Amino acid sequence: MASSELVPRTTILRGGRVIDPASATDALLDVVVQGETIVALTRPADRDSEMAHGATVIDVSGCVVTPGLIDLHCHVMPGLGDFCVEADEVGVGMGVPVLVDGGTSGVATFDLARRAVIDHPATKTKILAFIDPNQLYLATKDFICHKLEIANDARNIDRQSLAESLDRNADIVVGLKVRACYTDDPTVSPFLEAAKAAADEAARPLPIMVHLGRFPHTPCISTPTLLAALRGGDIITHAFRGGGGTLDGFGELIPEFRDALDRGLLLDVGHSGTDFRFREARRMFAKGVFPHTISTDLNIFNIGGPVFSLAETMTKIWAMGVDLADVIAMCTINPASSIHRQRELGSLAVGRSAEVSVMRIVEAPGTVSDGYETVAIERRLAPVGCVRGGSWHAAHSLGADVAA
Ligand SMILES: [Zn+2]
């Protein structure tokens, strides 16, 4: 090996405004990355010019630099069914170095999806996943597992096989994604109970992410029943969808929802095409109920709108009056801690793995839409790029004006 290959490549993100909610940082800092590790966070004035020698310097002045954004719910296993988008298109291509697949696959197909996408040498984005506890589950445009009633057939659960998969894939499976269907008894979802049992038996904490709302063809347990069955640390996605049954007819939190929040239930946006409503979010925010995490649920149905990207989804929450630092926390330290990866993800610190995102605040009047309602905005977050795997990846748009 040539000696030059022994020296890790150095990348410097120069002159950006670093906002890292986990460390309460909001300051102009250079972020210095060597190989795949953050080696310095320095004031630009203190910059060691020797460090810049031979380094790739990215001028990010005027930009916001954050810990690597994490999209906690998206669908990025293309080739498994027909529902997914390309991981690197919505990941590093949109300034998001870390994606969490939201249960595209059940147990029987997971290892193949892992090999084809997550571990594939061409994949640049770091991908983690929630796994569906069923043997056979795959997300498709026509909801085939619901149409064939596999998603509500208890024979689809194999506890031994599930436990082995959770063990075998412990490095990337961060939780279970449950479609809370029932079989005979509408007060119990055997799929949710199997997921809870598997999580209890696992050697590490595994949150359960549950979809709020219904599915075609298969019945689900009611929202109060679901909320009562979830544990602290579990995650409701599509939490601001409207008509989800968490609020009563007077706009008050139903008791089961209040109790679940008191136990530590976490709320995820999971925008999707029809699963985020400004109107519902306003009602929830007025009650002091905010998202813990902002995610997209990006798939082929919504990438062309109304979701578009994680940055666009962040812009929507920001436009609703949430502080920028809190919006960033909802896509960095909060998702990292919700999947128990806060020691490696979600914060910028020397010695940590270098996942770093860069966005630009575009000051210009415009609009955003939840698919139903259009809201006027004064500014938006636009992805510029990210560092992942020791390399700088410019985002599809607005990346060209950043010198690389
Ligand atoms: Zn989804």
Short mmCIF file of all heavy atoms in Angstrom, two decimals, residues 126-189:
data_model
loop_
_atom_site.label_atom_id
_atom_site.label_comp_id
_atom_site.label_asym_id
_atom_site.label_seq_id
_atom_site.Cartn_x
_atom_site.Cartn_y
_atom_site.Cartn_z
N LYS A 126 -25.79 5.86 5.13
CA LYS A 126 -25.89 4.89 6.23
C LYS A 126 -27.36 4.55 6.41
O LYS A 126 -28.19 5.45 6.57
CB LYS A 126 -25.32 5.50 7.52
CG LYS A 126 -25.37 4.58 8.73
CD LYS A 126 -24.83 5.30 9.97
CE LYS A 126 -24.82 4.40 11.20
NZ LYS A 126 -23.78 3.35 11.14
N ILE A 127 -27.69 3.28 6.39
CA ILE A 127 -29.10 2.87 6.49
C ILE A 127 -29.29 1.95 7.68
O ILE A 127 -28.58 0.95 7.84
CB ILE A 127 -29.57 2.16 5.21
CG1 ILE A 127 -29.33 3.04 3.98
CG2 ILE A 127 -31.06 1.80 5.31
CD1 ILE A 127 -29.61 2.34 2.66
N LEU A 128 -30.24 2.31 8.51
CA LEU A 128 -30.70 1.48 9.61
C LEU A 128 -32.14 1.08 9.30
O LEU A 128 -32.70 1.56 8.31
CB LEU A 128 -30.61 2.24 10.94
CG LEU A 128 -29.20 2.78 11.27
CD1 LEU A 128 -29.25 3.76 12.45
CD2 LEU A 128 -28.24 1.63 11.57
N ALA A 129 -32.74 0.23 10.11
CA ALA A 129 -34.07 -0.23 9.72
C ALA A 129 -34.92 -0.65 10.91
O ALA A 129 -34.41 -1.20 11.88
CB ALA A 129 -33.96 -1.40 8.74
N PHE A 130 -36.22 -0.39 10.77
CA PHE A 130 -37.23 -1.07 11.57
C PHE A 130 -37.68 -2.27 10.74
O PHE A 130 -37.90 -2.14 9.53
CB PHE A 130 -38.43 -0.16 11.83
CG PHE A 130 -38.17 0.95 12.81
CD1 PHE A 130 -37.69 2.19 12.39
CD2 PHE A 130 -38.42 0.77 14.16
CE1 PHE A 130 -37.46 3.22 13.29
CE2 PHE A 130 -38.18 1.80 15.08
CZ PHE A 130 -37.70 3.03 14.64
N ILE A 131 -37.81 -3.41 11.37
CA ILE A 131 -38.23 -4.62 10.65
C ILE A 131 -39.67 -4.95 11.03
O ILE A 131 -40.07 -4.78 12.20
CB ILE A 131 -37.27 -5.79 10.98
CG1 ILE A 131 -37.52 -7.00 10.08
CG2 ILE A 131 -37.38 -6.21 12.44
CD1 ILE A 131 -36.45 -8.09 10.22
N ASP A 132 -40.46 -5.37 10.06
CA ASP A 132 -41.81 -5.84 10.37
C ASP A 132 -41.68 -7.23 11.01
O ASP A 132 -40.94 -8.07 10.49
CB ASP A 132 -42.67 -5.90 9.10
CG ASP A 132 -44.14 -6.19 9.41
OD1 ASP A 132 -44.45 -7.31 9.85
OD2 ASP A 132 -44.96 -5.27 9.20
N PRO A 133 -42.39 -7.49 12.12
CA PRO A 133 -42.20 -8.78 12.81
C PRO A 133 -42.75 -9.98 12.05
O PRO A 133 -42.44 -11.12 12.41
CB PRO A 133 -42.93 -8.58 14.13
CG PRO A 133 -43.94 -7.52 13.86
CD PRO A 133 -43.31 -6.61 12.84
N ASN A 134 -43.56 -9.74 11.03
CA ASN A 134 -44.09 -10.87 10.26
C ASN A 134 -43.00 -11.53 9.45
O ASN A 134 -42.02 -10.91 9.05
CB ASN A 134 -45.18 -10.39 9.30
CG ASN A 134 -46.50 -10.19 9.99
OD1 ASN A 134 -47.01 -11.11 10.63
ND2 ASN A 134 -47.05 -8.99 9.88
N GLN A 135 -43.20 -12.82 9.15
CA GLN A 135 -42.30 -13.51 8.22
C GLN A 135 -42.37 -12.83 6.85
O GLN A 135 -41.35 -12.48 6.28
CB GLN A 135 -42.71 -14.98 8.09
CG GLN A 135 -42.20 -15.85 9.21
CD GLN A 135 -40.69 -15.95 9.19
OE1 GLN A 135 -40.10 -16.52 8.28
NE2 GLN A 135 -40.05 -15.38 10.19
N LEU A 136 -43.59 -12.71 6.35
CA LEU A 136 -43.78 -12.11 5.03
C LEU A 136 -44.48 -10.77 5.16
O LEU A 136 -45.65 -10.71 5.53
CB LEU A 136 -44.62 -13.03 4.13
CG LEU A 136 -43.93 -14.27 3.59
CD1 LEU A 136 -44.92 -15.11 2.78
CD2 LEU A 136 -42.73 -13.89 2.71
N TYR A 137 -43.73 -9.73 4.96
CA TYR A 137 -44.35 -8.42 4.81
C TYR A 137 -43.49 -7.64 3.83
O TYR A 137 -42.27 -7.61 3.96
CB TYR A 137 -44.48 -7.63 6.14
CG TYR A 137 -45.37 -6.44 5.90
CD1 TYR A 137 -46.75 -6.54 6.07
CD2 TYR A 137 -44.85 -5.25 5.42
CE1 TYR A 137 -47.59 -5.48 5.77
CE2 TYR A 137 -45.68 -4.19 5.11
CZ TYR A 137 -47.05 -4.31 5.29
OH TYR A 137 -47.88 -3.26 4.96
N LEU A 138 -44.09 -7.06 2.85
CA LEU A 138 -43.37 -6.10 2.03
C LEU A 138 -44.36 -5.02 1.61
O LEU A 138 -45.53 -5.29 1.36
CB LEU A 138 -42.70 -6.75 0.81
CG LEU A 138 -43.53 -7.35 -0.31
CD1 LEU A 138 -42.63 -7.54 -1.53
CD2 LEU A 138 -44.06 -8.70 0.10
N ALA A 139 -43.85 -3.81 1.63
CA ALA A 139 -44.68 -2.66 1.27
C ALA A 139 -44.79 -2.59 -0.24
O ALA A 139 -43.78 -2.58 -0.94
CB ALA A 139 -44.05 -1.39 1.83
N THR A 140 -46.01 -2.57 -0.74
CA THR A 140 -46.23 -2.44 -2.19
C THR A 140 -47.33 -1.41 -2.44
O THR A 140 -48.11 -1.09 -1.54
CB THR A 140 -46.68 -3.77 -2.83
OG1 THR A 140 -47.94 -4.16 -2.27
CG2 THR A 140 -45.66 -4.87 -2.60
N LYS A 141 -47.37 -0.97 -3.68
CA LYS A 141 -48.37 0.04 -4.06
C LYS A 141 -49.79 -0.46 -3.82
O LYS A 141 -50.67 0.31 -3.48
CB LYS A 141 -48.22 0.39 -5.55
CG LYS A 141 -46.98 1.22 -5.85
CD LYS A 141 -47.08 1.85 -7.23
CE LYS A 141 -46.43 1.00 -8.28
NZ LYS A 141 -46.30 1.66 -9.59
N ASP A 142 -50.01 -1.76 -4.02
CA ASP A 142 -51.38 -2.29 -3.90
C ASP A 142 -51.64 -2.96 -2.54
O ASP A 142 -52.63 -3.63 -2.37
CB ASP A 142 -51.67 -3.26 -5.03
CG ASP A 142 -50.82 -4.53 -4.93
OD1 ASP A 142 -49.87 -4.55 -4.10
OD2 ASP A 142 -51.09 -5.50 -5.66
N PHE A 143 -50.72 -2.74 -1.58
CA PHE A 143 -50.89 -3.32 -0.23
C PHE A 143 -51.16 -4.83 -0.32
O PHE A 143 -52.10 -5.35 0.27
CB PHE A 143 -52.04 -2.62 0.52
CG PHE A 143 -51.74 -1.20 0.91
CD1 PHE A 143 -52.03 -0.15 0.07
CD2 PHE A 143 -51.17 -0.92 2.15
CE1 PHE A 143 -51.75 1.16 0.44
CE2 PHE A 143 -50.89 0.38 2.54
CZ PHE A 143 -51.18 1.43 1.67
N ILE A 144 -50.30 -5.54 -1.06
CA ILE A 144 -50.57 -6.94 -1.34
C ILE A 144 -50.68 -7.80 -0.07
O ILE A 144 -51.49 -8.72 -0.01
CB ILE A 144 -49.51 -7.52 -2.33
CG1 ILE A 144 -49.90 -8.89 -2.83
CG2 ILE A 144 -48.12 -7.55 -1.70
CD1 ILE A 144 -51.11 -8.93 -3.69
N CYS A 145 -49.88 -7.48 0.95
CA CYS A 145 -49.92 -8.30 2.17
C CYS A 145 -51.21 -8.08 2.96
O CYS A 145 -51.58 -8.90 3.79
CB CYS A 145 -48.69 -8.03 3.03
SG CYS A 145 -47.17 -8.59 2.24
N HIS A 146 -51.85 -6.95 2.69
CA HIS A 146 -53.17 -6.71 3.29
C HIS A 146 -54.26 -7.31 2.40
O HIS A 146 -55.20 -7.92 2.88
CB HIS A 146 -53.37 -5.20 3.50
CG HIS A 146 -52.36 -4.60 4.43
ND1 HIS A 146 -52.54 -4.53 5.79
CD2 HIS A 146 -51.12 -4.09 4.19
CE1 HIS A 146 -51.47 -3.98 6.35
NE2 HIS A 146 -50.60 -3.71 5.41
N LYS A 147 -54.08 -7.13 1.09
CA LYS A 147 -55.08 -7.66 0.15
C LYS A 147 -55.21 -9.19 0.29
O LYS A 147 -56.30 -9.75 0.26
CB LYS A 147 -54.68 -7.29 -1.28
CG LYS A 147 -55.76 -7.55 -2.31
CD LYS A 147 -55.19 -7.43 -3.72
CE LYS A 147 -55.13 -6.00 -4.21
NZ LYS A 147 -54.66 -5.93 -5.63
N LEU A 148 -54.08 -9.85 0.45
CA LEU A 148 -54.09 -11.32 0.61
C LEU A 148 -54.32 -11.74 2.07
O LEU A 148 -54.31 -12.92 2.38
CB LEU A 148 -52.76 -11.91 0.12
CG LEU A 148 -52.44 -11.72 -1.37
CD1 LEU A 148 -51.10 -12.34 -1.71
CD2 LEU A 148 -53.53 -12.31 -2.24
N GLU A 149 -54.46 -10.74 2.94
CA GLU A 149 -54.69 -10.96 4.37
C GLU A 149 -53.59 -11.80 5.02
O GLU A 149 -53.86 -12.65 5.87
CB GLU A 149 -56.09 -11.56 4.59
CG GLU A 149 -57.17 -10.61 4.07
CD GLU A 149 -58.55 -10.94 4.58
OE1 GLU A 149 -58.72 -10.86 5.81
OE2 GLU A 149 -59.42 -11.28 3.77
N ILE A 150 -52.39 -11.51 4.60
CA ILE A 150 -51.21 -12.07 5.27
C ILE A 150 -50.89 -11.22 6.50
O ILE A 150 -50.42 -11.72 7.52
CB ILE A 150 -50.00 -12.06 4.30
CG1 ILE A 150 -50.23 -13.02 3.15
CG2 ILE A 150 -48.70 -12.39 5.04
CD1 ILE A 150 -49.20 -12.89 2.03
N ALA A 151 -51.16 -9.90 6.37
CA ALA A 151 -50.82 -8.97 7.45
C ALA A 151 -51.72 -9.14 8.67
O ALA A 151 -51.43 -8.58 9.73
CB ALA A 151 -50.90 -7.53 6.94
N ASN A 152 -52.80 -9.88 8.52
CA ASN A 152 -53.65 -10.16 9.70
C ASN A 152 -53.88 -11.66 9.86
O ASN A 152 -54.95 -12.10 10.25
CB ASN A 152 -54.98 -9.40 9.61
CG ASN A 152 -55.82 -9.82 8.42
OD1 ASN A 152 -55.28 -10.17 7.37
ND2 ASN A 152 -57.13 -9.78 8.56
N ASP A 153 -52.84 -12.42 9.55
CA ASP A 153 -52.88 -13.87 9.75
C ASP A 153 -51.77 -14.23 10.74
O ASP A 153 -50.58 -14.03 10.44
CB ASP A 153 -52.64 -14.58 8.40
CG ASP A 153 -52.84 -16.10 8.51
OD1 ASP A 153 -52.56 -16.66 9.60
OD2 ASP A 153 -53.25 -16.70 7.50
N ALA A 154 -52.17 -14.71 11.91
CA ALA A 154 -51.20 -14.95 12.98
C ALA A 154 -50.18 -16.02 12.59
O ALA A 154 -49.10 -16.11 13.21
CB ALA A 154 -51.91 -15.34 14.27
N ARG A 155 -50.47 -16.82 11.56
CA ARG A 155 -49.49 -17.81 11.11
C ARG A 155 -48.27 -17.13 10.49
O ARG A 155 -47.25 -17.78 10.24
CB ARG A 155 -50.13 -18.76 10.08
CG ARG A 155 -51.19 -19.67 10.66
CD ARG A 155 -51.89 -20.44 9.58
NE ARG A 155 -52.59 -19.56 8.64
CZ ARG A 155 -53.24 -19.98 7.55
NH1 ARG A 155 -53.28 -21.27 7.26
NH2 ARG A 155 -53.86 -19.12 6.76
N ASN A 156 -48.38 -15.84 10.24
CA ASN A 156 -47.27 -15.08 9.67
C ASN A 156 -46.19 -14.76 10.71
O ASN A 156 -45.12 -14.26 10.38
CB ASN A 156 -47.80 -13.78 9.05
CG ASN A 156 -46.94 -13.26 7.91
OD1 ASN A 156 -45.84 -13.76 7.67
ND2 ASN A 156 -47.42 -12.25 7.23
N ILE A 157 -46.48 -15.04 11.98
CA ILE A 157 -45.51 -14.79 13.06
C ILE A 157 -44.73 -16.07 13.35
O ILE A 157 -45.32 -17.13 13.53
CB ILE A 157 -46.24 -14.35 14.35
CG1 ILE A 157 -46.94 -13.00 14.15
CG2 ILE A 157 -45.28 -14.32 15.54
CD1 ILE A 157 -46.02 -11.82 14.13
N ASP A 158 -43.43 -15.94 13.37
CA ASP A 158 -42.55 -17.05 13.78
C ASP A 158 -41.56 -16.45 14.78
O ASP A 158 -40.59 -15.81 14.38
CB ASP A 158 -41.84 -17.64 12.57
CG ASP A 158 -40.88 -18.77 12.94
OD1 ASP A 158 -40.40 -18.81 14.09
OD2 ASP A 158 -40.59 -19.60 12.05
N ARG A 159 -41.83 -16.63 16.04
CA ARG A 159 -41.05 -15.94 17.07
C ARG A 159 -39.57 -16.32 17.06
O ARG A 159 -38.70 -15.49 17.28
CB ARG A 159 -41.66 -16.20 18.45
CG ARG A 159 -43.02 -15.55 18.58
CD ARG A 159 -43.56 -15.61 19.99
NE ARG A 159 -44.86 -14.96 20.02
CZ ARG A 159 -45.36 -14.35 21.07
NH1 ARG A 159 -44.70 -14.30 22.19
NH2 ARG A 159 -46.56 -13.79 21.02
N GLN A 160 -39.31 -17.58 16.78
CA GLN A 160 -37.93 -18.03 16.75
C GLN A 160 -37.16 -17.36 15.62
O GLN A 160 -36.06 -16.84 15.80
CB GLN A 160 -37.89 -19.56 16.58
CG GLN A 160 -36.50 -20.18 16.56
CD GLN A 160 -35.80 -20.06 17.90
OE1 GLN A 160 -36.45 -20.01 18.96
NE2 GLN A 160 -34.48 -19.96 17.88
N SER A 161 -37.76 -17.37 14.46
CA SER A 161 -37.12 -16.77 13.30
C SER A 161 -36.93 -15.26 13.49
O SER A 161 -35.90 -14.69 13.12
CB SER A 161 -37.98 -17.04 12.06
OG SER A 161 -37.47 -16.36 10.96
N LEU A 162 -37.92 -14.62 14.10
CA LEU A 162 -37.82 -13.18 14.37
C LEU A 162 -36.67 -12.90 15.33
O LEU A 162 -35.85 -12.00 15.10
CB LEU A 162 -39.16 -12.68 14.95
CG LEU A 162 -39.18 -11.23 15.46
CD1 LEU A 162 -38.81 -10.23 14.36
CD2 LEU A 162 -40.57 -10.89 16.03
N ALA A 163 -36.60 -13.68 16.40
CA ALA A 163 -35.52 -13.48 17.39
C ALA A 163 -34.16 -13.67 16.74
O ALA A 163 -33.22 -12.92 17.00
CB ALA A 163 -35.70 -14.45 18.56
N GLU A 164 -34.05 -14.67 15.88
CA GLU A 164 -32.76 -14.93 15.21
C GLU A 164 -32.39 -13.78 14.28
O GLU A 164 -31.23 -13.38 14.18
CB GLU A 164 -32.84 -16.25 14.43
CG GLU A 164 -32.84 -17.47 15.33
CD GLU A 164 -33.18 -18.77 14.60
OE1 GLU A 164 -33.31 -18.75 13.36
OE2 GLU A 164 -33.32 -19.79 15.30
N SER A 165 -33.39 -13.24 13.59
CA SER A 165 -33.12 -12.11 12.69
C SER A 165 -32.69 -10.87 13.47
O SER A 165 -31.75 -10.17 13.07
CB SER A 165 -34.37 -11.78 11.85
OG SER A 165 -34.12 -10.67 11.03
N LEU A 166 -33.36 -10.61 14.59
CA LEU A 166 -33.00 -9.44 15.41
C LEU A 166 -31.56 -9.59 15.92
O LEU A 166 -30.82 -8.61 16.01
CB LEU A 166 -33.96 -9.30 16.58
CG LEU A 166 -35.39 -8.89 16.22
CD1 LEU A 166 -36.30 -8.94 17.45
CD2 LEU A 166 -35.42 -7.50 15.59
N ASP A 167 -31.19 -10.82 16.23
CA ASP A 167 -29.84 -11.10 16.71
C ASP A 167 -28.82 -10.94 15.58
O ASP A 167 -27.81 -10.25 15.72
CB ASP A 167 -29.83 -12.52 17.27
CG ASP A 167 -28.62 -12.77 18.12
OD1 ASP A 167 -28.18 -11.83 18.79
OD2 ASP A 167 -28.11 -13.91 18.09
N ARG A 168 -29.14 -11.54 14.46
CA ARG A 168 -28.22 -11.54 13.31
C ARG A 168 -28.02 -10.14 12.75
O ARG A 168 -26.93 -9.80 12.28
CB ARG A 168 -28.83 -12.46 12.24
CG ARG A 168 -27.98 -12.73 11.04
CD ARG A 168 -28.56 -13.86 10.21
NE ARG A 168 -29.88 -13.57 9.66
CZ ARG A 168 -31.01 -14.19 9.98
NH1 ARG A 168 -31.02 -15.15 10.87
NH2 ARG A 168 -32.16 -13.85 9.42
N ASN A 169 -29.07 -9.31 12.82
CA ASN A 169 -29.02 -7.97 12.22
C ASN A 169 -28.94 -6.88 13.28
O ASN A 169 -29.37 -5.73 13.03
CB ASN A 169 -30.24 -7.77 11.32
CG ASN A 169 -30.24 -8.71 10.13
OD1 ASN A 169 -29.31 -8.68 9.33
ND2 ASN A 169 -31.24 -9.58 10.03
N ALA A 170 -28.37 -7.22 14.42
CA ALA A 170 -28.36 -6.28 15.55
C ALA A 170 -27.64 -4.98 15.22
O ALA A 170 -27.91 -3.94 15.82
CB ALA A 170 -27.71 -6.93 16.77
N ASP A 171 -26.72 -5.02 14.25
CA ASP A 171 -25.98 -3.80 13.92
C ASP A 171 -26.83 -2.78 13.17
O ASP A 171 -26.53 -1.58 13.21
CB ASP A 171 -24.73 -4.15 13.08
CG ASP A 171 -25.05 -4.98 11.86
OD1 ASP A 171 -26.09 -5.66 11.83
OD2 ASP A 171 -24.25 -4.93 10.90
N ILE A 172 -27.89 -3.22 12.51
CA ILE A 172 -28.67 -2.27 11.71
C ILE A 172 -30.17 -2.22 12.05
O ILE A 172 -30.82 -1.24 11.74
CB ILE A 172 -28.52 -2.53 10.19
CG1 ILE A 172 -28.89 -3.96 9.84
CG2 ILE A 172 -27.12 -2.17 9.72
CD1 ILE A 172 -29.06 -4.16 8.34
N VAL A 173 -30.70 -3.27 12.64
CA VAL A 173 -32.12 -3.23 12.99
C VAL A 173 -32.27 -2.53 14.35
O VAL A 173 -31.76 -3.01 15.36
CB VAL A 173 -32.75 -4.64 13.02
CG1 VAL A 173 -34.17 -4.58 13.60
CG2 VAL A 173 -32.80 -5.21 11.61
N VAL A 174 -32.95 -1.40 14.33
CA VAL A 174 -33.04 -0.56 15.53
C VAL A 174 -34.41 -0.63 16.20
O VAL A 174 -34.63 0.01 17.23
CB VAL A 174 -32.70 0.91 15.19
CG1 VAL A 174 -31.25 1.02 14.76
CG2 VAL A 174 -33.64 1.45 14.10
N GLY A 175 -35.32 -1.39 15.61
CA GLY A 175 -36.65 -1.51 16.21
C GLY A 175 -37.57 -2.29 15.30
O GLY A 175 -37.17 -2.81 14.26
N LEU A 176 -38.82 -2.40 15.73
CA LEU A 176 -39.82 -3.16 14.98
C LEU A 176 -40.92 -2.22 14.49
O LEU A 176 -41.38 -1.36 15.24
CB LEU A 176 -40.43 -4.24 15.87
CG LEU A 176 -39.39 -5.28 16.31
CD1 LEU A 176 -39.30 -5.33 17.83
CD2 LEU A 176 -39.72 -6.65 15.75
N LYS A 177 -41.31 -2.40 13.25
CA LYS A 177 -42.39 -1.59 12.69
C LYS A 177 -43.63 -2.47 12.62
O LYS A 177 -43.66 -3.47 11.89
CB LYS A 177 -42.02 -1.11 11.28
CG LYS A 177 -43.15 -0.40 10.54
CD LYS A 177 -43.42 1.00 11.09
CE LYS A 177 -44.59 1.68 10.38
NZ LYS A 177 -44.30 2.04 9.00
N VAL A 178 -44.64 -2.08 13.39
CA VAL A 178 -45.82 -2.93 13.51
C VAL A 178 -47.02 -2.31 12.82
O VAL A 178 -47.33 -1.14 13.01
CB VAL A 178 -46.14 -3.18 15.00
CG1 VAL A 178 -47.49 -3.86 15.17
CG2 VAL A 178 -45.04 -4.02 15.65
N ARG A 179 -47.69 -3.12 12.00
CA ARG A 179 -49.02 -2.78 11.51
C ARG A 179 -49.96 -3.50 12.47
O ARG A 179 -50.02 -4.75 12.47
CB ARG A 179 -49.23 -3.28 10.09
CG ARG A 179 -48.53 -2.42 9.01
CD ARG A 179 -47.05 -2.74 8.83
NE ARG A 179 -46.45 -1.91 7.77
CZ ARG A 179 -45.16 -1.93 7.44
NH1 ARG A 179 -44.30 -2.71 8.06
NH2 ARG A 179 -44.72 -1.15 6.49
N ALA A 180 -50.68 -2.73 13.29
CA ALA A 180 -51.39 -3.32 14.43
C ALA A 180 -52.73 -3.92 14.02
O ALA A 180 -53.80 -3.55 14.51
CB ALA A 180 -51.56 -2.28 15.54
N CYS A 181 -52.65 -4.89 13.12
CA CYS A 181 -53.85 -5.61 12.67
C CYS A 181 -54.28 -6.59 13.78
O CYS A 181 -53.49 -6.96 14.64
CB CYS A 181 -53.54 -6.39 11.40
SG CYS A 181 -52.98 -5.35 10.03
N TYR A 182 -55.54 -6.99 13.70
CA TYR A 182 -55.99 -8.04 14.60
C TYR A 182 -56.53 -9.21 13.80
O TYR A 182 -56.72 -9.12 12.58
CB TYR A 182 -57.01 -7.52 15.62
CG TYR A 182 -58.34 -7.04 15.11
CD1 TYR A 182 -59.36 -7.94 14.80
CD2 TYR A 182 -58.59 -5.68 14.97
CE1 TYR A 182 -60.59 -7.50 14.34
CE2 TYR A 182 -59.83 -5.22 14.51
CZ TYR A 182 -60.82 -6.13 14.20
OH TYR A 182 -62.04 -5.69 13.74
N THR A 183 -56.76 -10.32 14.49
CA THR A 183 -57.30 -11.51 13.83
C THR A 183 -58.76 -11.71 14.26
O THR A 183 -59.65 -11.23 13.58
CB THR A 183 -56.43 -12.74 14.13
OG1 THR A 183 -56.25 -12.86 15.55
CG2 THR A 183 -55.06 -12.60 13.48
N ASP A 184 -59.00 -12.31 15.40
CA ASP A 184 -60.38 -12.52 15.85
C ASP A 184 -60.82 -11.47 16.87
O ASP A 184 -61.93 -10.97 16.83
CB ASP A 184 -60.53 -13.91 16.48
CG ASP A 184 -60.13 -15.01 15.52
OD1 ASP A 184 -60.48 -14.87 14.33
OD2 ASP A 184 -59.47 -15.96 15.95
N ASP A 185 -59.92 -11.18 17.79
CA ASP A 185 -60.26 -10.30 18.91
C ASP A 185 -59.82 -8.86 18.58
O ASP A 185 -58.62 -8.58 18.47
CB ASP A 185 -59.51 -10.81 20.16
CG ASP A 185 -59.79 -9.97 21.39
OD1 ASP A 185 -60.44 -8.90 21.26
OD2 ASP A 185 -59.34 -10.36 22.48
N PRO A 186 -60.78 -7.93 18.42
CA PRO A 186 -60.41 -6.56 18.03
C PRO A 186 -59.69 -5.77 19.12
O PRO A 186 -59.31 -4.62 18.88
CB PRO A 186 -61.76 -5.92 17.68
CG PRO A 186 -62.78 -6.72 18.40
CD PRO A 186 -62.24 -8.12 18.51
N THR A 187 -59.51 -6.37 20.30
CA THR A 187 -58.83 -5.64 21.37
C THR A 187 -57.36 -6.02 21.50
O THR A 187 -56.65 -5.48 22.35
CB THR A 187 -59.51 -5.89 22.74
OG1 THR A 187 -59.34 -7.27 23.09
CG2 THR A 187 -60.98 -5.54 22.68
N VAL A 188 -56.90 -6.96 20.67
CA VAL A 188 -55.51 -7.42 20.76
C VAL A 188 -54.92 -7.55 19.36
O VAL A 188 -55.54 -8.17 18.49
CB VAL A 188 -55.39 -8.79 21.48
CG1 VAL A 188 -53.92 -9.24 21.54
CG2 VAL A 188 -55.98 -8.74 22.87
N SER A 189 -53.74 -7.00 19.14
CA SER A 189 -53.03 -7.25 17.90
C SER A 189 -51.93 -8.27 18.17
O SER A 189 -50.95 -7.97 18.86
CB SER A 189 -52.39 -5.98 17.35
OG SER A 189 -51.52 -6.31 16.27
#
